[in-house]
Amino acid sequence: MDSARSEATAAGRPRVLVVGGRLAHVRKARDLGLDVAHVQFPDAYDSGHWPYVDRALLVDYGDTDRLLPLVRALHAAYPVRAAVSLFELGLLPAARINEALGLGGESVETVELLLDKGRMRRHLAARGVSPVASAVGRSAQDVREFAAEHGLPVIVKPARESGSLGVFHVRDQADVDGVAERFRALAGGWTARDLTDAGAFEEFLMEEYLDGPEISVETLSFDGRHVVVAVTDKETGGGGFVETGHAQPSGVPAGVLREVARLVADFLDAVGLRNGPGHTEVKLTSRGPRIVESHNRVGGDRINELTEIAYGVDMERYALAAGLGVVAPLAASPEPRGGAAVRFLTPEPGRVVEVTGAEEVRADPACVELRLDVRPGAVVSPLTWNEDKAGHVLTRGATAAEAVAHGHRLAAAVKIRTEPVP
């Protein structure tokens, strides 16, 4: 550590331990004036991190038995104030670090409740919050019994994964008889960084089908006071669950949004979330709003960027600074400044032959960001989960509707031509 960093640390700059995530996260932590320790996979750390990181532990942080002794040694020499993660795989390790070092933060119990959807459903049912019929199963017989009791359609999905991975809409008897086998067929071929649970496809969660559109509620909590920062409207595609677009501010009527805000606050209280971000998915059913699932992190799929454009709030900064006293808490929900939308690129499956239109799209005044994740020679998979997307266009407008229109227009202008893979 150079002399300037030594002086800053000696002067009492708070030190945060950032677990996993992107380079932008440690950069933001540095910009907040924090001393940054970073836990990262060895091959995900390079010289680009050096200007922003004071201490680094390069380790598979999913292996907490190996991780915790290293963190204890780091903390003994360079005490940290908090461990935080903005990345799904880092949420539970961060909570376990905070618990082991007595640093506070969100409890392991709260994080586990949010990660384990079966436990979450049982927990909510016991408290009468957002009742949804559910059960954990392992076989076709389990699905048959659940469908017989609750009727069709039903949803079958992993109990601990995110990103719309392995979500099945069971509509008829043929689906009932075959869904368990289809679910188990998803096992294999994943790395430790793809899944939050190595046994993700050994058992599944069955839920009653919730009708109506889905939104997500982006919150920041301050000592148990929950502030709704934004509500995100969603578009879906593929099998009906992969998200193909988002927009803010929401177009849902104000009365419904007030009901949703009350439900989400009750939910966050029920699971014990007291500080930091929340990303809670809600279905607007014919019987009222119902919780789908939630995470104690900022939403993915560029939701933080939408919130910055539409509301002027960078939720990642608040997440990194939670409990450190370096960012003033939000007093109330912010007012929208304009509209923002993201539209994901979902070309036909096959091998990419040609990509055109990118330069023109980037030059368009409505385009905030164009990201392309494929190039000629790459193979586009069928749209089955969020990682199958080929990129995105992030747009702005005077309203959400205008931003959405720009998003559809510019996404259509990016031509990704594919051919069948032999």
Side-chain angles (χ1 to χ4, degrees):
M1 185 166 66
D2 61 32
S3 59
R5 292 188 186 183
S6 298
E7 291 171 7
T9 304
R13 186 170 66 186
R15 181 178 290 118
V16 65
L17 180 63
V18 180
V19 182
R22 298 182 287 112
L23 174 61
H25 299 159
V26 294
R27 184 187 299 124
K28 287 183 181 183
R30 168 68 73 213
D31 290 345
L32 285 165
L34 302 174
D35 189 81
V36 181
H38 191 30
V39 177
Q40 186 56 278
F41 292 115
D43 62 354
Y45 185 89
D46 58 30
S47 58
H49 292 78
W50 296 354
Y52 314 109
V53 176
D54 299 276
R55 297 284 182 266
L57 291 177
L58 305 183
V59 62
D60 176 359
Y61 52 81
D63 183 353
T64 52
D65 289 340
R66 184 181 178 196
L67 172 65
L68 289 178
L70 296 174
V71 171
R72 287 190 180 97
L74 173 71
H75 183 61
Y78 305 99
V80 300
R81 290 269 301 276
V84 64
S85 184
L86 281 69
F87 185 52
E88 185 82 3
L89 297 181
L91 298 175
L92 189 56
R96 288 179 171 157
I97 290 168
N98 284 326
E99 180 181 76
L101 301 182
L103 300 178
E106 300 314 298
S107 70
V108 170
E109 173 68 14
T110 291
V111 178
E112 281 279 14
L113 276 173
L114 294 173
L115 288 172
D116 188 330
K117 301 176 183 66
R119 284 185 60 190
M120 182 200 75
R121 287 293 185 210
R122 294 191 295 272
H123 185 80
L124 295 183
R127 287 156 179 76
V129 176
S130 188
V132 173
S134 67
V136 173
R138 301 177 69 95
S139 68
Q141 182 60 29
D142 292 331
V143 183
R144 283 191 286 269
E145 291 176 358
F146 186 84
E149 181 177 357
H150 300 287
L152 291 174
V154 300
I155 298 296
V156 169
K157 64 184 182 181
R160 291 182 66 95
E161 297 305 321
S162 61
S164 301
L165 174 63
V167 181
F168 294 94
H169 188 180
V170 181
R171 297 177 174 86
D172 54 32
Q173 194 59 45
D175 289 339
V176 169
D177 294 336
V179 70
E181 183 176 349
R182 293 170 63 198
F183 181 85
R184 286 194 298 272
L186 294 173
W190 305 100
T191 72
R193 301 187 205 182
D194 293 324
L195 305 175
T196 58
D197 180 15
F201 299 106
E202 293 177 4
E203 60 183 21
F204 45 78
L205 181 66
M206 302 171 289
E207 295 179 334
E208 65 172 295
Y209 176 72
L210 300 175
D211 63 344
E214 182 176 314
I215 59 175
S216 66
V217 182
E218 325 308 334
T219 55
L220 290 167
S221 298
F222 305 94
D223 291 328
R225 180 177 61 87
H226 311 300
V227 176
V228 174
V229 180
V231 176
T232 308
D233 291 341
K234 299 176 179 289
E235 295 180 57
T236 58
F241 298 103
V242 180
E243 294 160 2
T244 56
H246 303 307
Q248 294 179 9
S250 173
V252 172
V256 176
L257 289 180
R258 286 192 292 271
E259 186 178 1
V260 168
R262 288 192 295 269
L263 173 65
V264 170
D266 289 344
F267 166 79
L268 296 176
D269 286 342
V271 298
L273 187 70
R274 293 192 53 78
N275 287 286
H279 169 66
T280 305
E281 295 169 351
V282 177
K283 270 292 195 83
L284 304 179
T285 80
S286 55
R287 296 175 293 150
R290 294 289 187 273
I291 300 292
V292 177
E293 58 188 63
S294 185
H295 311 268
N296 65 309
R297 57 166 171 77
V298 180
D301 279 350
R302 314 309 280 176
I303 283 177
N304 192 62
E305 286 73 14
L306 297 183
T307 306
E308 284 191 85
I309 296 168
Y311 291 93
V313 176
D314 182 348
M315 293 184 63
E316 291 181 346
R317 286 171 56 87
Y318 282 91
L320 290 163
L324 298 178
V326 297
V327 177
L330 289 179
S333 298
E335 293 296 323
R337 302 177 173 185
V342 62
R343 180 72 186 176
F344 298 99
L345 306 179
T346 57
E348 289 294 316
R351 193 177 308 279
V352 177
V353 175
E354 183 182 39
V355 180
T356 59
E359 291 184 7
E360 293 81 359
V361 167
R362 288 193 174 101
D364 193 288
C367 179
V368 177
E369 177 184 72
L370 168 63
R371 173 173 166 173
L372 282 167
D373 294 331
V374 297
R375 61 183 63 185
V379 174
V380 175
S381 300
L383 188 62
T384 57
W385 74 307
N386 284 352
E387 298 304 311
D388 292 324
K389 299 167 186 174
H392 64 258
V393 181
L394 184 66
T395 56
R396 69 170 79 243
T399 65
E402 183 176 287
V404 168
H406 286 314
H408 281 276
R409 174 176 60 84
L410 295 180
V414 180
K415 307 295 186 183
I416 302 175
R417 186 163 64 87
T418 62
E419 63 182 9
V421 177

